[in-house]
Amino acid sequence: MTLPRIARGLAALAALALAATAQAKIVTKTIEYPYQGMTMKGFLAYDDARKGPVPGVLVVHEWWGLNGYIRQRTEQVAKLGYVAFAPDMYGEGKTTSDAKEAEAWSGEVYKNHELAPRAQAALDVLLKQPHVDKHRIGAMGYCFGGSTVLALAYSGADLRGVVTFHGGLFPPDEKERTQIKPSIVILQGDKDPFVKPETIQQVKDALDAGKVDWYMVSYANTVHSYTNPEADSYHIEGVAYNEKAARRSWDEMTHFFRVRLGR
Amino acid sequence: MTLPRIARGLAALAALALAATAQAKIVTKTIEYPYQGMTMKGFLAYDDARKGPVPGVLVVHEWWGLNGYIRQRTEQVAKLGYVAFAPDMYGEGKTTSDAKEAEAWSGEVYKNHELAPRAQAALDVLLKQPHVDKHRIGAMGYCFGGSTVLALAYSGADLRGVVTFHGGLFPPDEKERTQIKPSIVILQGDKDPFVKPETIQQVKDALDAGKVDWYMVSYANTVHSYTNPEADSYHIEGVAYNEKAARRSWDEMTHFFRVRLGR
């Protein structure tokens, strides 16, 4: 047997042994935490076999609330090796599949400048989890959750990396842009009708003015909510799942967090 | 010893064994091939230990010609597991570090619509190499080489994936856009002064009209030639190396080709 063949054999054995132990290690639980008189019901997922310090990642929901889709994404992030925590941005873990309701709920949070404070409350919960490495924290979010993780970064939170998937983009103001710590990755459908090219330009300009490290990926023929396999079921113009963009954006986030946070 | 520990032990052994054999396997050679009365001197690099069928990748030079930088990139591509071939787009392997000369040479090729034919001649050489899998071919190019690989794709060449790094972008015409086979990845400095936003929009629109699969990455605070560590030595306004964008774009290409070509 040659050395490369031995190496391949060992690698195959290692993969088999890992596969045998990769099952059923992800623990999930709902964590209740108070926020201004409300009870928020966040969702935690982690690999029980990993011993700390382990990087942590916030996974922030779409305007529908912390639903099954986001729980699934949170578990997937845990499988990458992180302590993953999905904040409850609405309280009582409430969710909806009614666009008008979702718009009202998320609109209220936007209007009251509650994105960053509510995300911060969840970040505090994540930081308290055993084994979480406080200095290696990332945040990712979808749609409304994309706005949320940007707001958290703009507030000066101690994050290493932020990823928005079809995020509701908006620029940091003059004060905010000076206090942004993480690198920011913007993963956007090229045909997303909910974010105007002018807004994207404003975001880029403001991040540049703050000397923020960022990059942006535009996916062809891709609209809003492209990561969500249930997107089409909402029957909203400009909202659709795109399998290719979903896979590519997931891989992009995975690689980015591996570089920024380790694993 | 637990199973995960055994797995990690085996993985470490495998990595060691692979590292021991990873040295000195890359073979390089100059291949001369005729093109319209000229002798082109391309540069081939491959891993001698790999047995076919192996995917192939064209690596097309900047307007400086097939210089040391591109040879190095070609060897790096070979290390990823591909048969890598750098075309000689000027003939006789000529290179320059004089911008006026580079502009004249590349301008001549652009003007005479010689991008695709010359790239095709090199592609034919790559396809003739033993062990190359003719159905898993990619093409990547830098600056002028980015234009070249786009032109090759627009000509209908049988490619699976194309990657441009700070490429001279231009849209396919109405006929060309119907015959594009590969997925296209555009890796661009957000501050690249040599490619106007209008041009980028024209490229996107034309690719969309042809139902081409593409995506584009924009790197913050990044100008032209950002992958080339020697870029600053040319003292050209809007041309500079950017280590972060160089690494990210390399990783982007690596992942894209792994998915599209295998390895």
Side-chain angles (χ1 to χ4, degrees), chain A residues 105-128:
Chain A
W105 294 354
S106 60
E108 194 77 6
V109 178
Y110 277 114
K111 197 182 67 184
N112 298 329
H113 304 287
E114 281 281 307
L115 291 168
R118 292 191 186 197
Q120 182 65 51
L123 176 56
D124 293 342
V125 173
L126 175 61
L127 292 174
K128 270 183 216 138

Side-chain angles (χ1 to χ4, degrees), chain B residues 186-220:
Chain B
I186 298 169
L187 306 175
Q188 208 73 357
D190 184 60
K191 298 285 188 204
D192 188 326
F194 296 103
V195 182
K196 293 176 189 153
E198 308 89 85
T199 306
I200 291 173
Q201 196 54 55
Q202 286 164 8
V203 171
K204 288 177 170 183
D205 291 344
L207 294 179
D208 285 347
K211 298 194 192 323
V212 177
D213 172 44
W214 62 266
Y215 69 92
M216 174 170 163
V217 187
S218 306
Y219 301 104

Side-chain angles (χ1 to χ4, degrees), chain A residues 213 216 218 248 251-252 255, chain B residues 213 216 218 248 251 255:
Chain A
D213 173 44
M216 172 170 165
S218 307
R248 283 176 177 158
D251 291 353
E252 195 71 52
H255 184 72
Chain B
D213 172 44
M216 174 170 163
S218 306
R248 284 178 177 156
D251 290 353
H255 184 72

Side-chain angles (χ1 to χ4, degrees), chain B residues 59-77:
Chain B
V59 183
V60 189
H61 59 71
E62 297 180 292
W63 69 352
W64 310 117
L66 207 181
N67 57 15
Y69 171 63
I70 294 300
R71 283 169 208 275
Q72 195 181 32
R73 287 293 185 199
T74 307
E75 288 190 49
Q76 281 181 285
V77 172

Side-chain angles (χ1 to χ4, degrees), chain A residues 3 7 10-11 14 17-18 21 190-191 204 208 213-218 220-221 244 247-248 251-252 255, chain B residues 3 7 10-11 14 17-18 21 190-191 204 208 213-218 220-221 244 248 251-252 255 259:
Chain A
L3 258 177
L10 288 169
L18 278 171
T21 62
D190 184 60
K191 299 285 188 204
K204 288 177 171 184
D208 285 347
D213 173 44
W214 62 266
Y215 70 93
M216 172 170 165
V217 188
S218 307
N221 288 307
K244 208 169 257 174
R247 179 182 55 72
R248 283 176 177 158
D251 291 353
E252 195 71 52
H255 184 72
Chain B
L3 257 178
L10 287 170
L18 277 170
T21 62
D190 184 60
K191 298 285 188 204
K204 288 177 170 183
D208 285 347
D213 172 44
W214 62 266
Y215 69 92
M216 174 170 163
V217 187
S218 306
N221 288 307
K244 209 170 256 175
R248 284 178 177 156
D251 290 353
E252 195 70 54
H255 184 72
V259 172

